[in-house]
PDB file of all heavy atoms in Angstrom:
ATOM      1  N   ARG A  10     -17.356   9.197   5.421  1.00 94.00           N
ATOM      2  CA  ARG A  10     -18.639   9.645   5.973  1.00 94.00           C
ATOM      3  C   ARG A  10     -19.158   8.539   6.876  1.00 94.00           C
ATOM      4  O   ARG A  10     -19.158   7.367   6.494  1.00 94.00           O
ATOM      5  CB  ARG A  10     -19.677   9.890   4.872  1.00 94.00           C
ATOM      6  CG  ARG A  10     -19.270  10.916   3.836  1.00 94.00           C
ATOM      7  CD  ARG A  10     -19.419  12.344   4.382  1.00 94.00           C
ATOM      8  NE  ARG A  10     -19.131  13.325   3.365  1.00 94.00           N
ATOM      9  CZ  ARG A  10     -17.954  13.876   3.148  1.00 94.00           C
ATOM     10  NH1 ARG A  10     -16.922  13.511   3.862  1.00 94.00           N
ATOM     11  NH2 ARG A  10     -17.778  14.781   2.223  1.00 94.00           N
ATOM     12  N   LEU A  13     -24.687   7.506  11.131  1.00 86.00           N
ATOM     13  CA  LEU A  13     -25.008   7.031  12.466  1.00 86.00           C
ATOM     14  C   LEU A  13     -26.293   6.204  12.488  1.00 86.00           C
ATOM     15  O   LEU A  13     -26.422   5.266  13.255  1.00 86.00           O
ATOM     16  CB  LEU A  13     -25.128   8.209  13.430  1.00 86.00           C
ATOM     17  CG  LEU A  13     -23.846   9.008  13.640  1.00 86.00           C
ATOM     18  CD1 LEU A  13     -24.097  10.183  14.574  1.00 86.00           C
ATOM     19  CD2 LEU A  13     -22.737   8.129  14.174  1.00 86.00           C
ATOM     20  N   LEU A  18     -19.879   3.167   7.514  1.00 92.00           N
ATOM     21  CA  LEU A  18     -18.799   4.068   7.142  1.00 92.00           C
ATOM     22  C   LEU A  18     -18.532   3.877   5.656  1.00 92.00           C
ATOM     23  O   LEU A  18     -18.348   2.749   5.198  1.00 92.00           O
ATOM     24  CB  LEU A  18     -17.537   3.746   7.942  1.00 92.00           C
ATOM     25  CG  LEU A  18     -16.287   4.556   7.601  1.00 92.00           C
ATOM     26  CD1 LEU A  18     -16.450   5.995   8.077  1.00 92.00           C
ATOM     27  CD2 LEU A  18     -15.059   3.911   8.230  1.00 92.00           C
ATOM     28  N   THR A  21     -13.347   7.073   0.787  1.00 95.00           N
ATOM     29  CA  THR A  21     -12.164   6.754  -0.001  1.00 95.00           C
ATOM     30  C   THR A  21     -10.911   7.102   0.780  1.00 95.00           C
ATOM     31  O   THR A  21     -10.823   8.161   1.400  1.00 95.00           O
ATOM     32  CB  THR A  21     -12.173   7.550  -1.319  1.00 95.00           C
ATOM     33  OG1 THR A  21     -13.387   7.277  -2.005  1.00 95.00           O
ATOM     34  CG2 THR A  21     -11.008   7.180  -2.205  1.00 95.00           C
ATOM     35  N   THR A  28      -6.319   4.587  -4.988  1.00 94.00           N
ATOM     36  CA  THR A  28      -7.372   4.757  -3.995  1.00 94.00           C
ATOM     37  C   THR A  28      -7.901   3.407  -3.531  1.00 94.00           C
ATOM     38  O   THR A  28      -7.802   2.397  -4.230  1.00 94.00           O
ATOM     39  CB  THR A  28      -8.561   5.565  -4.563  1.00 94.00           C
ATOM     40  OG1 THR A  28      -9.090   4.856  -5.686  1.00 94.00           O
ATOM     41  CG2 THR A  28      -8.152   6.967  -4.958  1.00 94.00           C
ATOM     42  N   LEU A  34     -19.709  -1.809   7.726  1.00 85.00           N
ATOM     43  CA  LEU A  34     -21.019  -1.849   8.363  1.00 85.00           C
ATOM     44  C   LEU A  34     -20.926  -2.663   9.640  1.00 85.00           C
ATOM     45  O   LEU A  34     -20.375  -3.764   9.641  1.00 85.00           O
ATOM     46  CB  LEU A  34     -22.032  -2.496   7.411  1.00 85.00           C
ATOM     47  CG  LEU A  34     -23.437  -2.703   7.934  1.00 85.00           C
ATOM     48  CD1 LEU A  34     -24.150  -1.368   8.071  1.00 85.00           C
ATOM     49  CD2 LEU A  34     -24.212  -3.609   7.010  1.00 85.00           C
ATOM     50  N   ASP A  37     -26.411  -4.671  13.682  1.00 73.00           N
ATOM     51  CA  ASP A  37     -27.079  -4.193  14.895  1.00 73.00           C
ATOM     52  C   ASP A  37     -27.432  -5.299  15.888  1.00 73.00           C
ATOM     53  O   ASP A  37     -27.618  -5.030  17.065  1.00 73.00           O
ATOM     54  CB  ASP A  37     -28.320  -3.378  14.549  1.00 73.00           C
ATOM     55  CG  ASP A  37     -29.407  -4.201  13.887  1.00 73.00           C
ATOM     56  OD1 ASP A  37     -29.117  -5.293  13.391  1.00 73.00           O
ATOM     57  OD2 ASP A  37     -30.554  -3.742  13.857  1.00 73.00           O
ATOM     58  N   GLU A  45     -15.932  -3.832   3.091  1.00 87.00           N
ATOM     59  CA  GLU A  45     -15.704  -4.070   1.665  1.00 87.00           C
ATOM     60  C   GLU A  45     -14.766  -2.989   1.153  1.00 87.00           C
ATOM     61  O   GLU A  45     -14.985  -1.806   1.404  1.00 87.00           O
ATOM     62  CB  GLU A  45     -17.030  -4.020   0.912  1.00 87.00           C
ATOM     63  CG  GLU A  45     -16.887  -4.236  -0.579  1.00 87.00           C
ATOM     64  CD  GLU A  45     -18.231  -4.175  -1.272  1.00 87.00           C
ATOM     65  OE1 GLU A  45     -18.883  -5.220  -1.365  1.00 87.00           O
ATOM     66  OE2 GLU A  45     -18.615  -3.073  -1.693  1.00 87.00           O
ATOM     67  N   THR A  47     -12.690  -1.679  -2.360  1.00 89.00           N
ATOM     68  CA  THR A  47     -12.481  -1.787  -3.794  1.00 89.00           C
ATOM     69  C   THR A  47     -11.244  -0.967  -4.145  1.00 89.00           C
ATOM     70  O   THR A  47     -11.267   0.267  -4.062  1.00 89.00           O
ATOM     71  CB  THR A  47     -13.707  -1.276  -4.575  1.00 89.00           C
ATOM     72  OG1 THR A  47     -14.863  -1.978  -4.118  1.00 89.00           O
ATOM     73  CG2 THR A  47     -13.524  -1.482  -6.068  1.00 89.00           C
ATOM     74  N   VAL A  58      -4.103  -6.751   7.330  1.00 80.00           N
ATOM     75  CA  VAL A  58      -3.226  -7.269   8.370  1.00 80.00           C
ATOM     76  C   VAL A  58      -3.917  -7.031   9.709  1.00 80.00           C
ATOM     77  O   VAL A  58      -4.366  -5.918   9.988  1.00 80.00           O
ATOM     78  CB  VAL A  58      -1.851  -6.563   8.368  1.00 80.00           C
ATOM     79  CG1 VAL A  58      -0.969  -7.105   9.476  1.00 80.00           C
ATOM     80  CG2 VAL A  58      -1.173  -6.722   7.014  1.00 80.00           C
ATOM     81  N   ALA A  62      -4.202  -6.907  19.871  1.00 82.00           N
ATOM     82  CA  ALA A  62      -3.663  -6.074  20.951  1.00 82.00           C
ATOM     83  C   ALA A  62      -3.504  -6.921  22.209  1.00 82.00           C
ATOM     84  O   ALA A  62      -4.167  -7.940  22.378  1.00 82.00           O
ATOM     85  CB  ALA A  62      -4.599  -4.899  21.227  1.00 82.00           C
ATOM     86  N   PRO A  67      -7.448  -1.961  31.934  1.00 80.00           N
ATOM     87  CA  PRO A  67      -7.638  -0.572  31.511  1.00 80.00           C
ATOM     88  C   PRO A  67      -7.002   0.416  32.489  1.00 80.00           C
ATOM     89  O   PRO A  67      -6.720   1.552  32.148  1.00 80.00           O
ATOM     90  CB  PRO A  67      -9.152  -0.394  31.460  1.00 80.00           C
ATOM     91  CG  PRO A  67      -9.762  -1.660  31.913  1.00 80.00           C
ATOM     92  CD  PRO A  67      -8.690  -2.660  32.162  1.00 80.00           C
ATOM     93  N   PRO A  75      -0.227  -2.602  39.702  1.00 86.00           N
ATOM     94  CA  PRO A  75       0.280  -3.066  40.997  1.00 86.00           C
ATOM     95  C   PRO A  75       1.478  -3.990  40.837  1.00 86.00           C
ATOM     96  O   PRO A  75       1.617  -4.677  39.822  1.00 86.00           O
ATOM     97  CB  PRO A  75      -0.908  -3.824  41.600  1.00 86.00           C
ATOM     98  CG  PRO A  75      -1.971  -3.875  40.579  1.00 86.00           C
ATOM     99  CD  PRO A  75      -1.562  -3.054  39.412  1.00 86.00           C
ATOM    100  N   GLY A  80       0.119  -9.643  32.919  1.00 84.00           N
ATOM    101  CA  GLY A  80      -0.833  -9.464  31.830  1.00 84.00           C
ATOM    102  C   GLY A  80      -1.290 -10.809  31.291  1.00 84.00           C
ATOM    103  O   GLY A  80      -0.678 -11.847  31.575  1.00 84.00           O
ATOM    104  N   ASN A  81      -2.369 -10.810  30.557  1.00 88.00           N
ATOM    105  CA  ASN A  81      -2.846 -12.037  29.931  1.00 88.00           C
ATOM    106  C   ASN A  81      -1.853 -12.504  28.884  1.00 88.00           C
ATOM    107  O   ASN A  81      -1.127 -11.704  28.298  1.00 88.00           O
ATOM    108  CB  ASN A  81      -4.208 -11.794  29.279  1.00 88.00           C
ATOM    109  CG  ASN A  81      -5.284 -11.567  30.312  1.00 88.00           C
ATOM    110  OD1 ASN A  81      -5.566 -12.430  31.121  1.00 88.00           O
ATOM    111  ND2 ASN A  81      -5.879 -10.379  30.290  1.00 88.00           N
ATOM    112  N   HIS A  89      -8.684 -21.776  10.810  1.00 85.00           N
ATOM    113  CA  HIS A  89      -9.542 -22.929  11.071  1.00 85.00           C
ATOM    114  C   HIS A  89     -10.571 -23.021   9.961  1.00 85.00           C
ATOM    115  O   HIS A  89     -11.515 -22.220   9.936  1.00 85.00           O
ATOM    116  CB  HIS A  89     -10.250 -22.784  12.427  1.00 85.00           C
ATOM    117  CG  HIS A  89      -9.326 -22.476  13.561  1.00 85.00           C
ATOM    118  ND1 HIS A  89      -8.656 -23.452  14.253  1.00 85.00           N
ATOM    119  CD2 HIS A  89      -8.943 -21.291  14.101  1.00 85.00           C
ATOM    120  CE1 HIS A  89      -7.917 -22.878  15.189  1.00 85.00           C
ATOM    121  NE2 HIS A  89      -8.068 -21.577  15.117  1.00 85.00           N
ATOM    122  N   ALA A  95      -7.900 -15.078  16.268  1.00 88.00           N
ATOM    123  CA  ALA A  95      -6.936 -14.737  17.304  1.00 88.00           C
ATOM    124  C   ALA A  95      -7.597 -15.112  18.627  1.00 88.00           C
ATOM    125  O   ALA A  95      -8.618 -14.529  19.003  1.00 88.00           O
ATOM    126  CB  ALA A  95      -6.602 -13.254  17.268  1.00 88.00           C
ATOM    127  N   ALA A 101      -8.046 -14.749  34.266  1.00 84.00           N
ATOM    128  CA  ALA A 101      -9.193 -14.871  35.166  1.00 84.00           C
ATOM    129  C   ALA A 101     -10.130 -15.986  34.735  1.00 84.00           C
ATOM    130  O   ALA A 101     -11.117 -16.266  35.399  1.00 84.00           O
ATOM    131  CB  ALA A 101      -9.953 -13.545  35.229  1.00 84.00           C
ATOM    132  N   ALA A 108     -12.427 -13.319  15.273  1.00 84.00           N
ATOM    133  CA  ALA A 108     -12.356 -14.180  14.087  1.00 84.00           C
ATOM    134  C   ALA A 108     -12.658 -13.352  12.854  1.00 84.00           C
ATOM    135  O   ALA A 108     -13.427 -12.395  12.905  1.00 84.00           O
ATOM    136  CB  ALA A 108     -13.361 -15.327  14.208  1.00 84.00           C
ATOM    137  N   ASP A 115     -13.537  -9.911  -8.023  1.00 50.00           N
ATOM    138  CA  ASP A 115     -12.792  -9.216  -9.064  1.00 50.00           C
ATOM    139  C   ASP A 115     -12.300  -7.854  -8.591  1.00 50.00           C
ATOM    140  O   ASP A 115     -11.199  -7.452  -8.892  1.00 50.00           O
ATOM    141  CB  ASP A 115     -13.648  -9.037 -10.317  1.00 50.00           C
ATOM    142  CG  ASP A 115     -13.905 -10.364 -11.017  1.00 50.00           C
ATOM    143  OD1 ASP A 115     -13.132 -11.314 -10.791  1.00 50.00           O
ATOM    144  OD2 ASP A 115     -14.871 -10.427 -11.773  1.00 50.00           O
ATOM    145  N   HIS A 122     -15.519  -9.592  10.415  1.00 51.00           N
ATOM    146  CA  HIS A 122     -14.804  -9.599  11.683  1.00 51.00           C
ATOM    147  C   HIS A 122     -15.834  -9.784  12.788  1.00 51.00           C
ATOM    148  O   HIS A 122     -16.863  -9.136  12.792  1.00 51.00           O
ATOM    149  CB  HIS A 122     -14.088  -8.254  11.823  1.00 51.00           C
ATOM    150  CG  HIS A 122     -13.594  -7.965  13.195  1.00 51.00           C
ATOM    151  ND1 HIS A 122     -12.288  -8.148  13.540  1.00 51.00           N
ATOM    152  CD2 HIS A 122     -14.208  -7.506  14.296  1.00 51.00           C
ATOM    153  CE1 HIS A 122     -12.128  -7.791  14.794  1.00 51.00           C
ATOM    154  NE2 HIS A 122     -13.291  -7.403  15.278  1.00 51.00           N
ATOM    155  N   VAL A 131     -20.558 -18.441  32.360  1.00 48.00           N
ATOM    156  CA  VAL A 131     -21.783 -18.043  31.687  1.00 48.00           C
ATOM    157  C   VAL A 131     -22.017 -18.979  30.512  1.00 48.00           C
ATOM    158  O   VAL A 131     -21.121 -19.227  29.728  1.00 48.00           O
ATOM    159  CB  VAL A 131     -21.681 -16.585  31.166  1.00 48.00           C
ATOM    160  CG1 VAL A 131     -22.945 -16.211  30.406  1.00 48.00           C
ATOM    161  CG2 VAL A 131     -21.436 -15.638  32.317  1.00 48.00           C
TER     162      VAL A 131
END
Side-chain angles (χ1 to χ4, degrees):
R10 302 283 185 267
L13 296 178
L18 176 71
T21 304
T28 60
L34 176 71
D37 66 342
E45 179 180 272
T47 305
V58 179
N81 291 298
H89 309 275
D115 291 339
H122 166 100
V131 177

